[in-house]
Amino acid sequence: MRLKIILLTFESTKKFKGDGVSIRRFFGQKFSEYTLLHHHSDNKLIYQYPLVQYKMIDSKPILIGINQGAKVLNEISDKFDTITLDYKKYEIVELNMTIMKNEEFGLSDKIQTYEFVTPWLPLNQEKYPEFLNTKSNDEKADILRRGLIGNLISMSKTLNYTVPDTIRCDVDLKNREERFKNKDFISFYGGFMVNFSIPDYLGIGRSVSKGYGTVRKWYGPPDMY
């Protein structure tokens, strides 16, 4: 299937400091009338693949809108000239909007190779201890492969795409233990190969709306990682 995607990027008079969480906080509060920007309804989190996602990549904020999310970003793009991240105000001196109307998404007859631009969080509370207690590297890789396939199927459901056949993948990842809000978790860096087309800068896995799991096609040699 084809997706319509809009990317918003900004330039300021000074270097941005913050993360996907602070970017989402600003836009979610400033434009609270748009549910797709803050992912809440009746003060409850909406548990589905987010159609608006926030990233901080190379110290630059990036907003990505998918289908209905692209429409929302188009509507708000001229309604702000400053943004505030972690209590610091930034004047926007340049705003760039990239419109991609026909981005391919879904099962492919070719193997695609991707890298994670931001850390991937594939493990939920159930899978986290299972991964930690698994000694075999092959079994750990299998957990991650199943997690990746589950991520792709989950996002496909929100995008109204039915996966017509088997998703095949392999991963080449390194993990790092992190702590956030008094909780331990593992994030992963590296990349993967899969018979599935994913537009650049879409996120997969947990906390996608906050910038985690951002992917980008890799065009380098096979031993990229």
Side-chain angles (χ1 to χ4, degrees), residues 152-168:
L152 294 175
I153 292 174
S154 178
M155 66 190 293
S156 294
K157 290 178 180 178
T158 298
L159 297 172
N160 296 316
Y161 173 74
T162 301
V163 182
D165 207 341
T166 302
I167 299 175
R168 303 186 306 276

Side-chain angles (χ1 to χ4, degrees), residues 1-5 51 66-68 101-108 152-153 155-164 196-199 202:
M1 70 178 295
R2 300 283 178 172
L3 301 178
K4 179 179 180 180
I5 293 173
L51 300 182
I66 308 159
N67 293 344
Q68 301 97 316
K101 294 183 177 180
N102 291 291
E103 290 296 294
E104 185 65 32
F105 174 85
L107 205 68
S108 172
L152 294 175
I153 292 174
M155 66 190 293
S156 294
K157 290 178 180 178
T158 298
L159 297 172
N160 296 316
Y161 173 74
T162 301
V163 182
F196 206 95
S197 295
I198 311 168
L202 261 63

Side-chain angles (χ1 to χ4, degrees), residues 117-133:
V117 184
T118 60
W120 179 42
L121 304 180
L123 304 176
N124 57 25
Q125 291 181 343
E126 178 182 333
K127 292 297 181 181
Y128 178 71
E130 178 185 348
F131 184 87
L132 289 181
N133 294 327

Side-chain angles (χ1 to χ4, degrees), residues 12-14 16 82-91:
S12 181
T13 54
K14 55 186 177 181
F16 289 105
T82 64
I83 64 173
T84 301
L85 306 179
D86 295 333
Y87 306 105
K88 295 182 179 180
K89 182 176 288 188
Y90 299 85
E91 179 186 359

Side-chain angles (χ1 to χ4, degrees), residues 10-220:
F10 320 115
E11 298 288 343
S12 181
T13 54
K14 55 186 177 181
K15 183 178 180 180
F16 289 105
K17 293 184 179 180
D19 54 19
V21 176
S22 57
I23 302 170
R24 187 179 79 157
R25 183 184 302 118
F26 171 79
F27 284 96
Q29 291 177 352
K30 183 172 181 62
F31 302 103
S32 59
E33 66 273 24
Y34 292 98
T35 300
L36 291 182
L37 292 181
H38 50 76
H39 316 118
H40 287 79
S41 179
D42 296 326
N43 294 320
K44 294 181 179 180
L45 184 65
I46 299 173
Y47 289 98
Q48 66 176 28
Y49 186 75
L51 300 182
V52 175
Q53 301 170 19
Y54 306 91
K55 333 274 183 177
M56 183 70 79
I57 299 176
D58 296 329
S59 299
K60 292 185 178 181
I62 296 177
L63 275 65
I64 181 167
I66 308 159
N67 293 344
Q68 301 97 316
K71 180 180 178 181
V72 169
L73 292 190
N74 187 51
E75 290 178 2
I76 69 168
S77 62
D78 61 350
K79 295 180 180 177
F80 60 95
D81 51 19
T82 64
I83 64 173
T84 301
L85 306 179
D86 295 333
Y87 306 105
K88 295 182 179 180
K89 182 176 288 188
Y90 299 85
E91 179 186 359
I92 305 303
V93 296
E94 183 178 344
L95 184 146
N96 299 301
M97 177 188 292
T98 304
I99 301 175
M100 299 174 284
K101 294 183 177 180
N102 291 291
E103 290 296 294
E104 185 65 32
F105 174 85
L107 205 68
S108 172
D109 57 1
K110 298 180 180 179
I111 298 296
Q112 314 279 348
T113 305
Y114 300 91
E115 62 175 335
F116 282 110
V117 184
T118 60
W120 179 42
L121 304 180
L123 304 176
N124 57 25
Q125 291 181 343
E126 178 182 333
K127 292 297 181 181
Y128 178 71
E130 178 185 348
F131 184 87
L132 289 181
N133 294 327
T134 298
K135 303 301 181 183
S136 166
N137 288 332
D138 288 340
E139 291 180 10
K140 285 186 174 182
D142 188 55
I143 291 173
L144 296 176
R145 284 191 289 266
R146 285 186 276 117
L148 177 62
I149 292 171
N151 289 169
L152 294 175
I153 292 174
S154 178
M155 66 190 293
S156 294
K157 290 178 180 178
T158 298
L159 297 172
N160 296 316
Y161 173 74
T162 301
V163 182
D165 207 341
T166 302
I167 299 175
R168 303 186 306 276
C169 68
D170 202 359
V171 296
D172 192 341
L173 301 164
K174 295 181 179 179
N175 63 280
R176 185 173 74 185
E177 294 186 15
E178 302 190 39
R179 190 170 180 81
F180 180 69
K181 290 185 177 180
N182 297 319
K183 292 184 179 180
D184 295 319
F185 64 95
I186 300 177
S187 62
F188 294 85
Y189 300 81
F192 60 94
M193 296 179 290
V194 66
N195 60 333
F196 206 95
S197 295
I198 311 168
D200 283 349
Y201 297 108
L202 261 63
I204 63 174
R206 299 172 58 220
S207 297
V208 165
S209 66
K210 301 174 184 177
Y212 285 95
T214 304
V215 303
R216 181 171 57 194
K217 287 186 179 66
W218 177 267
Y219 298 100

